[in-house]
Amino acid sequence: MRHTDEATAPMGMMGMGHPPRKNLDIQQSNIMSSKLLRWGIASAGKISEDFVIAVGALPSTEHKVQAVAARSLERAQEFARKHEIPSSYGSYIELAQDKDVDVVYIGALNTQHYELSVLMLNHGKHVLCEKSLAMNRKQAEGIVAAAKVNKRFFMEAIWSRFFPSFQYVKELIATKKIGEIQAVEANLGFPMLEVERLQKRDLGGGVIYDLGIYAIQAIQWAFQEKPQKIEATGTLNAEGIDNDVSATLTYSGGRQAHLHLSSLEKLNNTAVITGTKGQPQLIDFYGPNILIDIDGNKKEWQPPQGKYPTNYTNTICLLYEAAAVRQSILAGETENQNVTHADSVLFAEIQDSLRKQVGVLNQYDEQ
């Protein structure tokens, strides 16, 4: 799962202007002429550390973590020493200006994703940004627009879709081995009331942002169309942040998906896709190594090994999406077909609808 423990300082729009176009073109040319992708890391929290560990398990001729930036130079330097990263910065604008960085991984809090993504894109960097991508659809559209204007690769880090298990389900759907999709059920919950980031409005809290993106993307992986109707109910904490949400999404032909999200209790954490010919089940579907196939048998994929243990379960598998980013950039693509720009905008739109119905609005909705 995605977790961060670093609150980034508000940056406003400072430093988000465009550098000279000539510099961007030179940098892009350098990327396309080299097979080595040089990563910059925006934030020095736990998920960023796991991403660095994952990248370190990929071939060193293909990936290099070149720089890290955090809200304090001391923290960035400590992170850099531990992971043998050449450059460290106490501000994100310095990372954006580092000519030796090709692509930036953003592992900061949800509330900082928009500003950091646009900052990096406007300085000629490709971007992989953690989920949930944005605080609302308007922000998601703004990030996508910046990627298009700057002709840079951008992807929301929906790591689940790059797991072999998700790719296997994609093949089952494409080849009609499960028949026509009839329904999807996705439940995801953990007792997380003590996780401050999840409970605070100013930290971008709530289960819709933190857990909902996993359920939404799994549902959309199956249906591949915009829901025609969304109905949601939920409970809020004392600060007005959602801690338990249930919803029904209705698609063409009256087909439906059901999701349940909770920070109050552990749920079965399984995504079940029901077709006319079969019903695959993704176990712990946020990062699934196990799948119950349509014949009822279990399929299991062994995760790769990293140099260090990761902070969170199975996050060594972040290397799958990192490898995909490199492949897309070397191919000259500005988006990856497993998580397109349109996908991310729709995810944000669905989250907006869920939040509105359960009564969770924030300052970004008013801007």
Side-chain angles (χ1 to χ4, degrees):
M1 289 193 313
R2 175 188 179 276
H3 287 286
T4 57
D5 68 347
E6 178 173 1
T8 50
M11 303 188 312
M13 299 299 287
M14 180 176 171
M16 295 174 71
H18 296 266
R21 174 60 58 183
K22 180 179 178 182
N23 291 343
L24 298 188
D25 291 341
I26 291 173
Q27 185 182 53
Q28 180 69 0
S29 176
N30 288 341
I31 286 180
M32 298 312 297
S33 63
S34 171
K35 291 186 177 182
L36 178 65
L37 190 65
R38 301 167 298 177
W39 289 90
I41 309 297
S43 100
K46 290 182 179 179
I47 191 62
S48 292
E49 180 170 49
D50 285 2
F51 184 80
V52 170
I53 292 169
V55 169
L58 291 167
S60 60
T61 55
E62 297 179 357
H63 297 265
K64 178 184 179 181
V65 178
Q66 176 66 33
V68 59
R71 58 179 176 170
S72 76
L73 179 59
E74 182 180 6
R75 185 166 188 177
Q77 289 174 332
E78 180 183 356
F79 189 99
R81 280 194 298 270
K82 179 176 180 179
H83 297 286
E84 302 177 344
I85 300 172
S87 301
S88 53
Y89 303 111
S91 70
Y92 294 117
I93 183 65
E94 291 176 281
L95 178 61
Q97 293 171 339
D98 188 333
K99 67 183 187 325
D100 293 324
V101 170
D102 304 317
V103 58
V104 174
Y105 167 82
I106 298 173
L109 291 169
N110 294 336
T111 51
Q112 295 300 309
H113 288 178
Y114 171 76
E115 291 186 15
L116 286 177
S117 293
V118 175
L119 171 68
M120 299 304 167
L121 289 165
N122 282 352
H123 280 79
K125 308 304 184 193
H126 303 292
V127 171
L128 174 66
C129 181
E130 267 303 342
K131 64 206 135 352
S132 291
L133 173 60
M135 299 303 290
N136 56 28
R137 174 177 172 162
K138 183 178 179 181
Q139 284 193 345
E141 290 175 330
I143 294 170
V144 168
K148 292 183 185 302
V149 166
N150 290 291
K151 298 179 181 178
R152 290 297 176 264
F153 175 86
F154 173 80
M155 189 177 83
E156 182 178 7
I158 308 292
W159 72 317
S160 312
R161 291 191 167 188
F162 297 91
F163 274 70
S165 54
F166 261 83
Q167 291 296 314
Y168 182 80
V169 169
K170 182 179 183 180
E171 184 68 14
L172 289 179
I173 294 171
T175 57
K176 301 289 186 179
K177 288 183 179 178
I178 63 172
E180 299 297 325
I181 303 297
Q182 298 296 301
V184 178
E185 181 173 349
N187 303 312
L188 188 57
F190 300 89
M192 295 188 292
L193 292 180
E194 79 290 350
V195 181
E196 183 183 32
R197 171 188 56 76
L198 195 65
Q199 302 300 319
K200 296 291 186 180
R201 182 180 298 274
D202 60 349
L203 299 181
V207 292
I208 292 173
Y209 285 134
D210 197 74
L211 303 179
I213 184 62
Y214 293 106
I216 291 167
Q217 70 81 21
I219 290 166
Q220 290 302 126
W221 194 241
F223 281 115
Q224 292 294 317
E225 64 180 60
K226 184 176 178 177
Q228 297 178 347
K229 185 179 181 181
I230 300 174
E231 301 169 282
T233 59
T235 61
L236 311 181
N237 68 11
E239 195 169 315
I241 294 300
D242 49 301
N243 54 24
D244 194 274
V245 174
S246 294
T248 298
L249 289 70
T250 303
Y251 294 82
S252 61
R255 301 172 300 159
Q256 292 187 329
H258 301 280
L259 64 82
H260 182 194
L261 315 167
S262 183
S263 63
L264 304 177
E265 60 180 333
K266 189 178 189 301
L267 302 179
N268 65 13
N269 300 337
T270 298
V272 181
I273 301 172
T274 301
T276 53
K277 295 180 181 178
Q279 182 177 272
Q281 302 177 50
L282 290 156
I283 310 301
D284 292 332
F285 68 92
Y286 51 88
N289 292 323
I290 298 174
L291 175 143
I292 307 302
D293 209 344
I294 55 177
D295 59 6
N297 291 321
K298 181 172 75 172
K299 296 185 79 71
E300 187 168 0
W301 293 263
Q302 290 300 316
Q305 297 296 312
K307 183 177 180 181
Y308 301 105
T310 54
N311 295 291
Y312 301 113
T313 303
N314 216 25
T315 44
I316 188 65
C317 294
L318 289 166
L319 63 81
Y320 294 137
E321 67 178 3
V325 168
R326 176 179 174 274
Q327 290 169 358
S328 284
I329 291 174
L330 291 179
E333 299 171 349
T334 56
E335 59 184 317
N336 185 284
Q337 290 308 303
N338 285 295
V339 189
T340 66
H341 295 167
D343 285 335
S344 290
V345 171
L346 180 55
F347 297 158
E349 180 180 335
I350 293 171
Q351 288 179 309
D352 285 353
S353 178
L354 295 175
R355 288 190 302 108
K356 182 178 180 180
Q357 290 186 53
V358 301
V360 179
L361 299 178
N362 55 52
Q363 66 188 73
Y364 306 95
D365 297 320
E366 301 165 0
Q367 294 175 351

